Amino acid sequence: AYVGTPRSPFDTGVFLSSPAQQVRAATAEGLVAFDAQGRVVPALADRWIITDDGLSYIFRLRDGTWRDGSELSADSARSALRERLRGLRGSSLGLDLSGIDEIRAMAGRVVEIRLSRPMPHLLQLLAQPEMGLVRKGRGAGPMTMRREGDTAILTPIAPERLGMPAITGWDERVRTLRVDASSGEKAVARFNAGEADVMLGGTIAEFPLARSVGLLRGTIQIDPVNGLLGLSVLNDRGFLSSPANREAIAMAIDRAALIEPFGISGWKTSTRIVSSAVED
């Protein structure tokens, strides 16, 4: 159960909602992907190397095929990458990837991405769900998706159907997932009633709701990321145009008191946009 709107899992285009990102990641792998701990792991590419100058990333694709049965080759992967980058033009992710200068298909299943400047976080960008590659409108898995009303049915694809070695006991090791999205109130109610195994998504706005209906403390997990929660200055005019006024407002806000009602341990307040931990 996701927090969102009923159509959220089926969003398409450049800007995907959180449910749509998960569906895209499940049905269209990129060269690399994220694991459950947020680490970059192999996907369509089973290994890669980075040149010493940081300007070339060379990926070796896994043995296998696309969903249409065609070979997962360097040429087909290059075409899919180029198409994906064209589709992201003008978006924030497209701008982040603007350092990609050339994509080359090398021998067999080897693809090289050449950069115009070093991009230390290129692998993390390539692992984003929006970078899932498709051929003839379909991704290479690892799951298929069909729609039943407002529910996305995700079914794992057996490795042999993708041209990879079969895995003994595959059917016993996997199961179909049903993903849908609704308001925070409904998602929490479904989880509490045992109708959903996992509830995902939501923001700080839904957090008090989750606590008020009695979710067990151990069942709530918060993404361990650095974030910014505060006032948004939209222009350089008016009261907030004065640094002294902005400083006065910052001094008047009791950050600890704002956080206390949520009962979130380990959440540290800061007056800095970038934390010292990130800078270190």
Side-chain angles (χ1 to χ4, degrees):
Y2 246 106
V3 176
T5 63
R7 60 176 176 80
S8 296
F10 311 101
D11 288 342
T12 58
V14 176
F15 302 102
L16 298 178
S17 63
S18 182
Q21 285 183 325
Q22 294 297 329
V23 171
R24 174 75 64 83
T27 57
E29 289 183 301
L31 292 176
V32 292
F34 290 122
D35 67 5
Q37 285 73 45
R39 298 170 298 197
V40 175
V41 295
L44 293 181
D46 58 15
R47 57 186 182 274
W48 55 87
I49 61 172
I50 306 170
T51 57
D52 291 340
D53 59 8
L55 295 177
S56 177
Y57 286 64
I58 301 172
F59 300 86
R60 182 172 180 82
L61 305 175
R62 72 186 186 205
D63 290 325
T65 60
W66 296 95
R67 289 282 310 287
D68 63 0
S70 61
E71 180 186 4
L72 178 58
S73 64
D75 285 330
S76 62
R78 176 185 60 180
S79 297
L81 269 171
R82 287 175 172 175
E83 180 181 355
R84 193 80 287 275
L85 291 174
R86 285 193 297 268
L88 290 171
R89 285 176 182 170
S91 68
S92 56
L93 181 55
L95 294 174
D96 288 339
L97 291 164
S98 62
I100 294 179
D101 184 52
E102 183 182 6
I103 302 173
R104 300 181 60 201
M106 305 174 71
R109 300 189 307 276
V110 179
V111 176
E112 179 187 14
I113 296 180
R114 290 188 174 183
L115 308 178
S116 59
R117 64 178 185 275
M119 296 175 59
H121 301 297
L122 178 63
L123 292 176
Q124 284 78 7
L125 295 173
L126 294 177
Q128 298 298 321
E130 290 83 355
M131 285 302 295
L133 304 183
V134 299
R135 179 175 173 82
K136 298 182 179 180
R138 296 196 297 176
M143 309 180 90
T144 61
M145 189 275 285
R146 61 184 174 87
R147 182 171 181 172
E148 287 186 1
D150 291 329
T151 301
I153 311 297
L154 299 174
T155 304
I157 304 172
E160 60 268 24
R161 290 179 55 195
L162 295 175
M164 296 182 291
I167 296 178
T168 303
W170 170 260
D171 292 339
E172 289 75 29
R173 298 176 58 179
V174 299
R175 63 175 176 170
T176 296
L177 300 179
R178 301 175 63 89
V179 180
D180 56 28
S182 58
S183 66
E185 294 90 339
K186 185 175 180 179
V188 169
R190 291 188 60 224
F191 179 82
N192 276 349
E195 298 173 1
D197 295 312
V198 180
M199 173 185 161
L200 299 172
T203 65
I204 194 172
E206 281 80 30
F207 194 82
L209 172 66
R211 292 176 59 84
S212 66
V213 296
L215 288 182
L216 296 177
R217 186 176 184 86
T219 65
I220 302 175
Q221 296 188 30
I222 301 175
D223 292 336
V225 297
N226 289 296
L228 179 65
L229 177 66
L231 299 175
S232 176
V233 181
L234 302 180
N235 56 61
D236 59 359
R237 301 182 299 277
F239 182 81
L240 293 179
S241 64
S242 166
N245 290 342
R246 295 197 298 272
E247 183 178 5
I249 290 177
M251 293 173 65
I253 296 175
D254 188 340
R255 291 166 177 78
L258 288 175
I259 296 300
E260 184 177 359
F262 295 96
I264 303 175
S265 61
W267 194 349
K268 298 180 180 179
T269 62
S270 174
T271 58
R272 304 158 59 95
I273 293 179
V274 179
S275 72
S276 57
V278 173
E279 290 180 337
D280 293 343

